[in-house]
Amino acid sequence: MDNHQKRYKGYSSITLNNISRPNGWAERDHTNTLYWQEETYLTYNKQFDKHRINAMAGLSWQARTYDYDNSRTEGFFDDFYESNNMGIGILPAAPGSNWNKWAMNSYFLRASYSYDNRYSATITSRYDGSSKFGKNNKYAFFPSAGLAWNVSNEDFLKGNESISNLKFHTSYGLTGNSEIDPYKSLAIVEAGTILLNGNRAPYSFVNAIANPDLKWERTAQYDVGVELGLFQNRLNFDVSFYHKKTTDLLLDAPVPTASGFSTVMKNIGSVQNQGLDMMITGTVVNSENFSWKSSLNMNYNKNKVLKLGENNADILMNNWVGGANSVIRVGENLNSFYGYRRLGVYTQEDVDAGNATLSQVGRAKRTTEKEIIGKGIPDWTGSFINNLRYKNFDFTLDLQFVKGVEVMQQFYHSTYDRFGITNGLKEILTDAYNGTNPNTMQQAIYLTNGGHAGQDTNVDDSWVADGSYIRVNLIQLGYTFNPDVLKRVGMSNLRIYANANNPFLFTSSDFKGYDPESTSQGTGNFGQNMTFFAYPRAKTFSLGVNVTF
């Protein structure tokens, strides 16, 4: 059987920002993103006796083009035009624009074989090429294979009243990662204009080092698992152990400052993830008028950096207050927080002992060297979903939980350490050093008429909190009307419902933010769970009706 499929997708978005006031400014941003994909494949299916074969071979092409332009004008004498006539502004800024494109070609093959619905094997392979990588390593090969044994179809288990399903499975395979910006393998020339003697003059310089050997990041994964269904599948278990090793990790590696550059994109590391995936589903009650079905999904993951370049040197990232806020270090979690340990505050006793000056009294006392003070990747994640029905009523409760993770509360920079010019936490008033509480961790309060009043703000472990939480994802209550009653008014189905999405969030007492799951750095920068006034996930409440005539 021959199948051919084409997919074409394009979309454009325009964002307008303006301030409508005299002598204000107007800004117009335009972004156009075009995505294109085409696939062609052949399939083969054959069944004879107890044997079944399924195969597919194909290829695909995809590309994305990104186009952006920006204009800005200041000095409006009237706000009537807003951003619709930016030419009336007397202080136009230099326009800006950007364009990039990437493309990928893929060739793939999949073949599966099963015998008597008891034994099965699957083999897949992909040969992918991306324009993002160096000229020497555009393409890479990613094979995988899997085996399964459906024990419940064996003669010795058929008809078993207790075990209704038993299946063992295992697999091994390679996958690739190309999620980097385009042109990272090239020496990029940055160009623009600069004001020089009252006129704009052009400039250009090389702002990135070329790496023609940049290649795909690879992840090799092995897993083994078992599926077990009991009592006519009323209670089901699905448990898998997995081991992942990612090599040729794509990172912005530091280079000597004498080169004139700070980093270069390289394949320099390897990371290990291993753990358990567990799912338990069951029907707790199943009667004519009442039913209760539950699903518990849990994942345990242990993350560790195995290698970083030739010398396993640390990679410091997310520079902010006091330098790097995170570090990638061999033997540690990939998302490790980096900072000082807070030992307390300097007191008058420290001055008397010769360990501090008078000007340091009430200031934070920290270790002299930075160290790892937390991690942003959790040990445990999961969900617990319950669906209940009583006659015509239905009820859903969806819970999400995370345990074994920390949050770096970067908003402590403004609300805890530097409260002289900002709103602060209530602990400032209750815990601040006042001469009678030498064991406090909170700095003294200083009068300020400007500036920061000498406040000492830096990343330390007082900013780090337990990031574990339980979130109520969804509460839904519905009622379905009796079909016999609806027929009288010309309807075949009528259901009304009320939803509460994310109504409750339970966190640790030392977390002072809105949502421990938020991040301000972006996971691409290994900044998970580092939050600086990040906007929290919204709570939404809704009423709805489903009607079928």
Side-chain angles (χ1 to χ4, degrees):
M1 183 178 179
D2 185 4
N3 292 289
H4 182 258
Q5 183 186 55
K6 283 187 176 181
R7 287 202 299 249
Y8 179 81
K9 182 180 180 182
Y11 54 91
S12 177
S13 63
I14 298 177
T15 303
L16 299 177
N17 299 313
N18 61 77
I19 293 180
S20 300
R21 66 169 184 257
N23 301 315
W25 58 268
E27 185 170 350
R28 181 185 291 266
D29 297 317
H30 175 263
T31 302
N32 183 38
T33 303
L34 182 64
Y35 179 78
W36 171 84
Q37 180 175 350
E38 183 177 350
E39 291 183 352
T40 300
Y41 56 86
L42 293 171
T43 60
Y44 174 80
N45 293 284
K46 182 69 174 180
Q47 183 169 351
F48 53 96
D49 196 15
K50 297 181 179 181
H51 307 271
R52 187 168 68 248
I53 297 175
N54 177 276
M56 180 182 68
L59 46 92
S60 70
W61 304 267
Q62 56 183 308
R64 195 203 74 162
T65 302
Y66 172 84
D67 192 2
Y68 167 81
D69 62 79
N70 164 272
S71 57
R72 178 187 173 102
T73 302
E74 299 181 10
F76 281 75
F77 63 86
D78 193 291
D79 64 351
F80 172 77
Y81 292 101
E82 297 184 343
S83 64
N84 299 311
N85 185 5
M86 299 177 66
I88 66 171
I90 62 175
L91 297 173
S97 62
N98 187 22
W99 183 93
N100 64 56
K101 179 181 180 180
W102 61 261
M104 187 165 72
N105 296 338
S106 301
Y107 309 89
F108 49 88
L109 173 67
R110 179 177 63 83
S112 62
Y113 166 79
S114 66
Y115 174 74
D116 198 22
N117 290 323
R118 289 185 290 168
Y119 315 107
S120 62
T122 303
I123 298 174
T124 65
S125 63
R126 294 183 62 92
Y127 190 58
D128 294 317
S130 174
S131 63
K132 296 180 180 181
F133 296 111
K135 62 181 181 179
N136 302 329
N137 294 295
K138 297 289 188 185
Y139 284 87
F141 180 59
F142 304 106
S144 66
L147 298 172
W149 177 24
N150 195 343
V151 187
S152 53
N153 284 341
E154 298 287 355
D155 292 338
F156 59 83
L157 267 185
K158 284 183 177 180
N160 190 291
E161 296 182 358
S162 299
I163 301 177
S164 47
N165 178 48
L166 178 60
K167 184 178 181 180
F168 296 101
H169 57 85
T170 183
S171 66
Y172 177 82
L174 294 176
T175 57
N177 175 32
S178 61
E179 294 302 311
I180 58 174
D181 292 334
Y183 317 129
K184 279 290 189 176
S185 66
L186 304 177
I188 305 299
V189 175
E190 182 174 326
T193 62
I194 188 173
L195 282 174
L196 185 64
N197 297 324
N199 297 307
R200 287 203 168 270
Y203 71 85
S204 63
F205 63 93
V206 178
N207 73 340
I209 303 176
N211 182 6
D213 297 320
L214 191 67
K215 57 186 177 182
W216 287 80
E217 181 179 293
R218 300 168 179 260
T219 297
Q221 177 172 344
Y222 164 77
D223 68 78
V224 58
V226 58
E227 298 176 16
L228 175 62
L230 302 176
F231 316 118
Q232 301 302 312
N233 291 329
R234 188 163 176 171
L235 181 60
N236 298 277
F237 300 87
D238 189 347
V239 181
S240 296
F241 167 80
Y242 64 87
H243 181 278
K244 297 180 183 180
K245 183 179 179 181
T246 301
T247 56
D248 298 323
L249 197 66
L250 291 164
L251 289 171
D252 280 316
V255 295
T257 54
S259 67
F261 303 92
S262 57
T263 62
V264 60
M265 177 63 73
K266 296 177 66 177
N267 302 95
I268 67 166
S270 63
V271 176
Q272 174 183 283
N273 285 278
Q274 61 181 6
L276 287 173
D277 283 324
M278 294 165 282
M279 176 173 284
I280 304 172
T281 59
T283 302
V284 182
V285 179
N286 190 21
S287 64
E288 181 179 355
N289 291 326
F290 180 66
S291 67
W292 177 8
K293 296 180 180 180
S294 291
S295 174
L296 176 62
N297 181 25
M298 295 185 294
N299 170 260
Y300 172 78
N301 182 72
K302 191 68 174 179
N303 173 274
K304 183 170 69 172
V305 179
L306 301 177
K307 190 177 187 304
L308 286 176
E310 298 178 358
N311 302 318
N312 288 329
D314 290 351
I315 296 180
L316 305 180
M317 304 190 72
N318 296 313
N319 286 329
W320 195 50
V321 178
N325 283 199
S326 63
V327 61
I328 302 177
R329 175 177 293 175
V330 170
E332 300 291 343
N333 191 284
L334 184 62
N335 197 83
S336 294
F337 304 149
Y338 196 52
Y340 299 98
R341 294 281 176 187
R342 183 173 292 198
L343 307 177
V345 297
Y346 287 105
T347 65
Q348 184 61 46
E349 288 77 10
D350 291 318
V351 176
D352 297 339
N355 298 323
T357 63
L358 190 60
S359 62
Q360 290 179 295
V361 172
R363 307 297 190 196
K365 182 193 296 185
R366 303 182 178 95
T367 56
T368 58
E369 299 292 334
K370 283 188 174 183
E371 57 187 273
I372 291 176
I373 55 177
K375 63 182 178 68
I377 298 179
D379 295 329
W380 287 95
T381 58
S383 64
F384 184 43
I385 302 173
N386 292 270
N387 294 290
L388 295 91
R389 178 191 59 82
Y390 176 70
K391 293 185 177 180
N392 289 6
F393 288 94
D394 61 87
F395 177 78
T396 298
L397 177 63
D398 182 349
L399 305 176
Q400 174 190 351
F401 59 87
V402 167
K403 184 172 176 56
V405 68
E406 284 83 38
V407 177
M408 178 179 283
Q409 304 174 113
Q410 292 182 317
F411 54 83
Y412 266 37
H413 164 63
S414 301
T415 61
Y416 196 62
D417 280 353
R418 202 190 70 178
F419 53 80
I421 59 171
T422 62
N423 292 325
L425 302 176
K426 65 180 181 180
E427 285 79 5
I428 296 171
L429 296 178
T430 58
D431 299 341
Y433 175 73
N434 57 19
T436 64
N437 53 347
N439 296 322
T440 185
M441 291 289 177
Q442 172 57 39
Q443 301 181 58
I445 296 176
Y446 282 81
L447 176 65
T448 174
N449 295 316
H452 299 166
Q455 294 302 313
D456 182 9
T457 178
N458 214 326
V459 179
D460 60 38
D461 64 338
S462 69
W463 293 19
V464 177
D466 183 1
S468 304
Y469 67 85
I470 297 176
R471 183 193 303 277
V472 180
N473 262 335
L474 171 67
I475 299 176
Q476 183 182 87
L477 179 63
Y479 182 83
T480 302
F481 288 83
N482 192 311
D484 295 333
V485 177
L486 296 176
K487 289 180 181 179
R488 301 172 187 173
V489 292
M491 290 186 290
S492 60
N493 181 69
L494 174 61
R495 179 176 179 268
I496 60 174
Y497 62 90
N499 283 351
N501 295 87
N502 189 39
F504 304 109
L505 178 63
F506 304 96
T507 66
S508 65
S509 59
D510 56 342
F511 176 69
K512 305 300 181 183
Y514 294 111
D515 193 333
E517 200 177 22
S518 62
T519 182
S520 300
Q521 299 293 338
T523 55
N525 297 323
F526 302 98
Q528 183 174 330
N529 281 29
M530 302 173 68
T531 177
F532 182 73
F533 300 113
Y535 195 80
R537 180 175 164 183
K539 303 176 187 292
T540 59
F541 303 89
S542 58
L543 297 173
V545 179
N546 294 329
V547 182
T548 303
F549 294 95

PDB file of all heavy atoms in Angstrom, residues 60-81:
ATOM      1  N   SER A  60      10.921  12.562   5.126  1.00  0.00           N
ATOM      2  CA  SER A  60      10.212  13.817   5.393  1.00  0.00           C
ATOM      3  C   SER A  60      11.164  14.992   5.275  1.00  0.00           C
ATOM      4  O   SER A  60      12.384  14.848   5.462  1.00  0.00           O
ATOM      5  CB  SER A  60       9.580  13.794   6.791  1.00  0.00           C
ATOM      6  OG  SER A  60      10.569  13.855   7.802  1.00  0.00           O
ATOM      7  N   TRP A  61      10.585  16.131   4.941  1.00  0.00           N
ATOM      8  CA  TRP A  61      11.324  17.378   4.879  1.00  0.00           C
ATOM      9  C   TRP A  61      10.556  18.412   5.695  1.00  0.00           C
ATOM     10  O   TRP A  61       9.329  18.465   5.642  1.00  0.00           O
ATOM     11  CB  TRP A  61      11.441  17.885   3.445  1.00  0.00           C
ATOM     12  CG  TRP A  61      12.054  16.920   2.496  1.00  0.00           C
ATOM     13  CD1 TRP A  61      13.370  16.805   2.141  1.00  0.00           C
ATOM     14  CD2 TRP A  61      11.355  15.924   1.735  1.00  0.00           C
ATOM     15  NE1 TRP A  61      13.539  15.806   1.226  1.00  0.00           N
ATOM     16  CE2 TRP A  61      12.317  15.233   0.955  1.00  0.00           C
ATOM     17  CE3 TRP A  61      10.024  15.534   1.646  1.00  0.00           C
ATOM     18  CZ2 TRP A  61      11.991  14.196   0.100  1.00  0.00           C
ATOM     19  CZ3 TRP A  61       9.685  14.494   0.794  1.00  0.00           C
ATOM     20  CH2 TRP A  61      10.653  13.844   0.032  1.00  0.00           C
ATOM     21  N   GLN A  62      11.268  19.221   6.428  1.00  0.00           N
ATOM     22  CA  GLN A  62      10.608  20.298   7.165  1.00  0.00           C
ATOM     23  C   GLN A  62      11.548  21.494   7.265  1.00  0.00           C
ATOM     24  O   GLN A  62      12.784  21.347   7.229  1.00  0.00           O
ATOM     25  CB  GLN A  62      10.181  19.836   8.556  1.00  0.00           C
ATOM     26  CG  GLN A  62      11.284  19.276   9.423  1.00  0.00           C
ATOM     27  CD  GLN A  62      10.766  18.785  10.760  1.00  0.00           C
ATOM     28  OE1 GLN A  62      10.083  19.513  11.473  1.00  0.00           O
ATOM     29  NE2 GLN A  62      11.092  17.550  11.104  1.00  0.00           N
ATOM     30  N   ALA A  63      10.962  22.667   7.364  1.00  0.00           N
ATOM     31  CA  ALA A  63      11.744  23.900   7.454  1.00  0.00           C
ATOM     32  C   ALA A  63      10.931  24.947   8.198  1.00  0.00           C
ATOM     33  O   ALA A  63       9.699  24.901   8.221  1.00  0.00           O
ATOM     34  CB  ALA A  63      12.127  24.407   6.068  1.00  0.00           C
ATOM     35  N   ARG A  64      11.643  25.883   8.819  1.00  0.00           N
ATOM     36  CA  ARG A  64      10.986  26.995   9.498  1.00  0.00           C
ATOM     37  C   ARG A  64      11.738  28.281   9.194  1.00  0.00           C
ATOM     38  O   ARG A  64      12.977  28.324   9.280  1.00  0.00           O
ATOM     39  CB  ARG A  64      10.936  26.787  11.003  1.00  0.00           C
ATOM     40  CG  ARG A  64       9.957  27.737  11.696  1.00  0.00           C
ATOM     41  CD  ARG A  64      10.267  27.948  13.156  1.00  0.00           C
ATOM     42  NE  ARG A  64      11.437  28.813  13.324  1.00  0.00           N
ATOM     43  CZ  ARG A  64      11.738  29.441  14.451  1.00  0.00           C
ATOM     44  NH1 ARG A  64      10.975  29.305  15.514  1.00  0.00           N
ATOM     45  NH2 ARG A  64      12.812  30.194  14.542  1.00  0.00           N
ATOM     46  N   THR A  65      10.983  29.310   8.831  1.00  0.00           N
ATOM     47  CA  THR A  65      11.554  30.632   8.575  1.00  0.00           C
ATOM     48  C   THR A  65      10.973  31.624   9.569  1.00  0.00           C
ATOM     49  O   THR A  65       9.751  31.675   9.765  1.00  0.00           O
ATOM     50  CB  THR A  65      11.247  31.089   7.138  1.00  0.00           C
ATOM     51  OG1 THR A  65      11.762  30.137   6.214  1.00  0.00           O
ATOM     52  CG2 THR A  65      11.899  32.437   6.860  1.00  0.00           C
ATOM     53  N   TYR A  66      11.855  32.407  10.180  1.00  0.00           N
ATOM     54  CA  TYR A  66      11.453  33.397  11.185  1.00  0.00           C
ATOM     55  C   TYR A  66      11.872  34.775  10.696  1.00  0.00           C
ATOM     56  O   TYR A  66      13.035  34.996  10.324  1.00  0.00           O
ATOM     57  CB  TYR A  66      12.118  33.063  12.517  1.00  0.00           C
ATOM     58  CG  TYR A  66      11.942  34.103  13.605  1.00  0.00           C
ATOM     59  CD1 TYR A  66      10.811  34.117  14.405  1.00  0.00           C
ATOM     60  CD2 TYR A  66      12.925  35.068  13.833  1.00  0.00           C
ATOM     61  CE1 TYR A  66      10.650  35.057  15.416  1.00  0.00           C
ATOM     62  CE2 TYR A  66      12.776  36.011  14.841  1.00  0.00           C
ATOM     63  CZ  TYR A  66      11.639  36.001  15.622  1.00  0.00           C
ATOM     64  OH  TYR A  66      11.491  36.938  16.615  1.00  0.00           O
ATOM     65  N   ASP A  67      10.913  35.698  10.680  1.00  0.00           N
ATOM     66  CA  ASP A  67      11.172  37.060  10.195  1.00  0.00           C
ATOM     67  C   ASP A  67      10.628  38.048  11.218  1.00  0.00           C
ATOM     68  O   ASP A  67       9.461  37.968  11.605  1.00  0.00           O
ATOM     69  CB  ASP A  67      10.494  37.249   8.835  1.00  0.00           C
ATOM     70  CG  ASP A  67      10.958  38.523   8.139  1.00  0.00           C
ATOM     71  OD1 ASP A  67      11.817  39.227   8.690  1.00  0.00           O
ATOM     72  OD2 ASP A  67      10.451  38.804   7.030  1.00  0.00           O
ATOM     73  N   TYR A  68      11.466  38.998  11.640  1.00  0.00           N
ATOM     74  CA  TYR A  68      11.074  39.951  12.686  1.00  0.00           C
ATOM     75  C   TYR A  68      11.562  41.338  12.311  1.00  0.00           C
ATOM     76  O   TYR A  68      12.683  41.508  11.790  1.00  0.00           O
ATOM     77  CB  TYR A  68      11.682  39.529  14.025  1.00  0.00           C
ATOM     78  CG  TYR A  68      11.607  40.586  15.110  1.00  0.00           C
ATOM     79  CD1 TYR A  68      10.435  40.765  15.851  1.00  0.00           C
ATOM     80  CD2 TYR A  68      12.698  41.399  15.393  1.00  0.00           C
ATOM     81  CE1 TYR A  68      10.359  41.729  16.840  1.00  0.00           C
ATOM     82  CE2 TYR A  68      12.628  42.367  16.390  1.00  0.00           C
ATOM     83  CZ  TYR A  68      11.462  42.529  17.105  1.00  0.00           C
ATOM     84  OH  TYR A  68      11.385  43.487  18.091  1.00  0.00           O
ATOM     85  N   ASP A  69      10.716  42.345  12.525  1.00  0.00           N
ATOM     86  CA  ASP A  69      11.177  43.728  12.371  1.00  0.00           C
ATOM     87  C   ASP A  69      10.550  44.602  13.451  1.00  0.00           C
ATOM     88  O   ASP A  69       9.482  44.291  13.985  1.00  0.00           O
ATOM     89  CB  ASP A  69      10.859  44.262  10.970  1.00  0.00           C
ATOM     90  CG  ASP A  69       9.372  44.298  10.680  1.00  0.00           C
ATOM     91  OD1 ASP A  69       8.705  45.237  11.146  1.00  0.00           O
ATOM     92  OD2 ASP A  69       8.875  43.378   9.995  1.00  0.00           O
ATOM     93  N   ASN A  70      11.232  45.686  13.761  1.00  0.00           N
ATOM     94  CA  ASN A  70      10.858  46.543  14.880  1.00  0.00           C
ATOM     95  C   ASN A  70      11.124  47.999  14.507  1.00  0.00           C
ATOM     96  O   ASN A  70      12.116  48.320  13.843  1.00  0.00           O
ATOM     97  CB  ASN A  70      11.658  46.152  16.121  1.00  0.00           C
ATOM     98  CG  ASN A  70      11.627  47.220  17.201  1.00  0.00           C
ATOM     99  OD1 ASN A  70      12.452  48.122  17.214  1.00  0.00           O
ATOM    100  ND2 ASN A  70      10.663  47.122  18.101  1.00  0.00           N
ATOM    101  N   SER A  71      10.226  48.871  14.941  1.00  0.00           N
ATOM    102  CA  SER A  71      10.446  50.316  14.791  1.00  0.00           C
ATOM    103  C   SER A  71       9.987  51.016  16.056  1.00  0.00           C
ATOM    104  O   SER A  71       9.045  50.566  16.717  1.00  0.00           O
ATOM    105  CB  SER A  71       9.693  50.851  13.565  1.00  0.00           C
ATOM    106  OG  SER A  71       8.313  50.575  13.666  1.00  0.00           O
ATOM    107  N   ARG A  72      10.635  52.108  16.387  1.00  0.00           N
ATOM    108  CA  ARG A  72      10.339  52.832  17.622  1.00  0.00           C
ATOM    109  C   ARG A  72      10.571  54.318  17.391  1.00  0.00           C
ATOM    110  O   ARG A  72      11.545  54.717  16.733  1.00  0.00           O
ATOM    111  CB  ARG A  72      11.227  52.317  18.760  1.00  0.00           C
ATOM    112  CG  ARG A  72      11.028  53.060  20.087  1.00  0.00           C
ATOM    113  CD  ARG A  72      12.051  52.601  21.103  1.00  0.00           C
ATOM    114  NE  ARG A  72      12.001  53.393  22.320  1.00  0.00           N
ATOM    115  CZ  ARG A  72      11.441  53.024  23.449  1.00  0.00           C
ATOM    116  NH1 ARG A  72      10.866  51.839  23.516  1.00  0.00           N
ATOM    117  NH2 ARG A  72      11.444  53.797  24.507  1.00  0.00           N
ATOM    118  N   THR A  73       9.663  55.123  17.936  1.00  0.00           N
ATOM    119  CA  THR A  73       9.782  56.574  17.834  1.00  0.00           C
ATOM    120  C   THR A  73       9.418  57.196  19.175  1.00  0.00           C
ATOM    121  O   THR A  73       8.473  56.749  19.833  1.00  0.00           O
ATOM    122  CB  THR A  73       8.859  57.137  16.738  1.00  0.00           C
ATOM    123  OG1 THR A  73       9.175  56.536  15.493  1.00  0.00           O
ATOM    124  CG2 THR A  73       9.029  58.643  16.607  1.00  0.00           C
ATOM    125  N   GLU A  74      10.147  58.239  19.570  1.00  0.00           N
ATOM    126  CA  GLU A  74       9.879  58.972  20.803  1.00  0.00           C
ATOM    127  C   GLU A  74       9.580  60.429  20.477  1.00  0.00           C
ATOM    128  O   GLU A  74       9.773  60.890  19.358  1.00  0.00           O
ATOM    129  CB  GLU A  74      11.078  58.866  21.752  1.00  0.00           C
ATOM    130  CG  GLU A  74      11.413  57.443  22.175  1.00  0.00           C
ATOM    131  CD  GLU A  74      12.596  57.390  23.129  1.00  0.00           C
ATOM    132  OE1 GLU A  74      13.027  58.461  23.596  1.00  0.00           O
ATOM    133  OE2 GLU A  74      13.083  56.285  23.395  1.00  0.00           O
ATOM    134  N   GLY A  75       9.119  61.156  21.497  1.00  0.00           N
ATOM    135  CA  GLY A  75       8.899  62.591  21.348  1.00  0.00           C
ATOM    136  C   GLY A  75       7.619  62.944  20.615  1.00  0.00           C
ATOM    137  O   GLY A  75       7.613  63.840  19.767  1.00  0.00           O
ATOM    138  N   PHE A  76       6.510  62.276  20.908  1.00  0.00           N
ATOM    139  CA  PHE A  76       5.223  62.603  20.293  1.00  0.00           C
ATOM    140  C   PHE A  76       4.663  63.899  20.902  1.00  0.00           C
ATOM    141  O   PHE A  76       4.672  64.074  22.114  1.00  0.00           O
ATOM    142  CB  PHE A  76       4.221  61.467  20.522  1.00  0.00           C
ATOM    143  CG  PHE A  76       4.407  60.300  19.585  1.00  0.00           C
ATOM    144  CD1 PHE A  76       5.458  59.416  19.753  1.00  0.00           C
ATOM    145  CD2 PHE A  76       3.523  60.102  18.529  1.00  0.00           C
ATOM    146  CE1 PHE A  76       5.624  58.347  18.892  1.00  0.00           C
ATOM    147  CE2 PHE A  76       3.675  59.032  17.666  1.00  0.00           C
ATOM    148  CZ  PHE A  76       4.741  58.153  17.836  1.00  0.00           C
ATOM    149  N   PHE A  77       4.177  64.811  20.058  1.00  0.00           N
ATOM    150  CA  PHE A  77       3.521  66.024  20.575  1.00  0.00           C
ATOM    151  C   PHE A  77       2.054  65.760  20.871  1.00  0.00           C
ATOM    152  O   PHE A  77       1.390  66.562  21.516  1.00  0.00           O
ATOM    153  CB  PHE A  77       3.661  67.187  19.578  1.00  0.00           C
ATOM    154  CG  PHE A  77       2.994  66.948  18.260  1.00  0.00           C
ATOM    155  CD1 PHE A  77       1.645  67.237  18.068  1.00  0.00           C
ATOM    156  CD2 PHE A  77       3.720  66.419  17.194  1.00  0.00           C
ATOM    157  CE1 PHE A  77       1.038  67.020  16.851  1.00  0.00           C
ATOM    158  CE2 PHE A  77       3.104  66.194  15.974  1.00  0.00           C
ATOM    159  CZ  PHE A  77       1.763  66.489  15.795  1.00  0.00           C
ATOM    160  N   ASP A  78       1.514  64.626  20.370  1.00  0.00           N
ATOM    161  CA  ASP A  78       0.124  64.284  20.577  1.00  0.00           C
ATOM    162  C   ASP A  78       0.028  62.761  20.530  1.00  0.00           C
ATOM    163  O   ASP A  78       0.744  62.116  19.763  1.00  0.00           O
ATOM    164  CB  ASP A  78      -0.757  64.914  19.491  1.00  0.00           C
ATOM    165  CG  ASP A  78      -2.240  64.825  19.863  1.00  0.00           C
ATOM    166  OD1 ASP A  78      -2.770  63.692  19.863  1.00  0.00           O
ATOM    167  OD2 ASP A  78      -2.848  65.871  20.146  1.00  0.00           O
ATOM    168  N   ASP A  79      -0.859  62.202  21.350  1.00  0.00           N
ATOM    169  CA  ASP A  79      -0.974  60.739  21.388  1.00  0.00           C
ATOM    170  C   ASP A  79      -2.110  60.235  20.515  1.00  0.00           C
ATOM    171  O   ASP A  79      -2.492  59.067  20.600  1.00  0.00           O
ATOM    172  CB  ASP A  79      -1.161  60.260  22.819  1.00  0.00           C
ATOM    173  CG  ASP A  79      -2.472  60.770  23.437  1.00  0.00           C
ATOM    174  OD1 ASP A  79      -3.117  61.620  22.814  1.00  0.00           O
ATOM    175  OD2 ASP A  79      -2.810  60.304  24.541  1.00  0.00           O
ATOM    176  N   PHE A  80      -2.641  61.056  19.634  1.00  0.00           N
ATOM    177  CA  PHE A  80      -3.802  60.678  18.835  1.00  0.00           C
ATOM    178  C   PHE A  80      -3.496  59.488  17.916  1.00  0.00           C
ATOM    179  O   PHE A  80      -4.285  58.564  17.778  1.00  0.00           O
ATOM    180  CB  PHE A  80      -4.270  61.885  18.012  1.00  0.00           C
ATOM    181  CG  PHE A  80      -5.343  61.551  17.022  1.00  0.00           C
ATOM    182  CD1 PHE A  80      -6.666  61.360  17.431  1.00  0.00           C
ATOM    183  CD2 PHE A  80      -5.041  61.402  15.675  1.00  0.00           C
ATOM    184  CE1 PHE A  80      -7.651  61.037  16.516  1.00  0.00           C
ATOM    185  CE2 PHE A  80      -6.028  61.076  14.758  1.00  0.00           C
ATOM    186  CZ  PHE A  80      -7.336  60.898  15.178  1.00  0.00           C
ATOM    187  N   TYR A  81      -2.322  59.494  17.291  1.00  0.00           N
ATOM    188  CA  TYR A  81      -2.021  58.476  16.280  1.00  0.00           C
ATOM    189  C   TYR A  81      -1.537  57.153  16.891  1.00  0.00           C
ATOM    190  O   TYR A  81      -1.536  56.134  16.224  1.00  0.00           O
ATOM    191  CB  TYR A  81      -0.940  58.997  15.322  1.00  0.00           C
ATOM    192  CG  TYR A  81      -1.395  60.141  14.451  1.00  0.00           C
ATOM    193  CD1 TYR A  81      -1.046  61.442  14.758  1.00  0.00           C
ATOM    194  CD2 TYR A  81      -2.169  59.912  13.326  1.00  0.00           C
ATOM    195  CE1 TYR A  81      -1.457  62.494  13.963  1.00  0.00           C
ATOM    196  CE2 TYR A  81      -2.582  60.948  12.518  1.00  0.00           C
ATOM    197  CZ  TYR A  81      -2.227  62.239  12.845  1.00  0.00           C
ATOM    198  OH  TYR A  81      -2.638  63.287  12.049  1.00  0.00           O
TER     199      TYR A  81
END
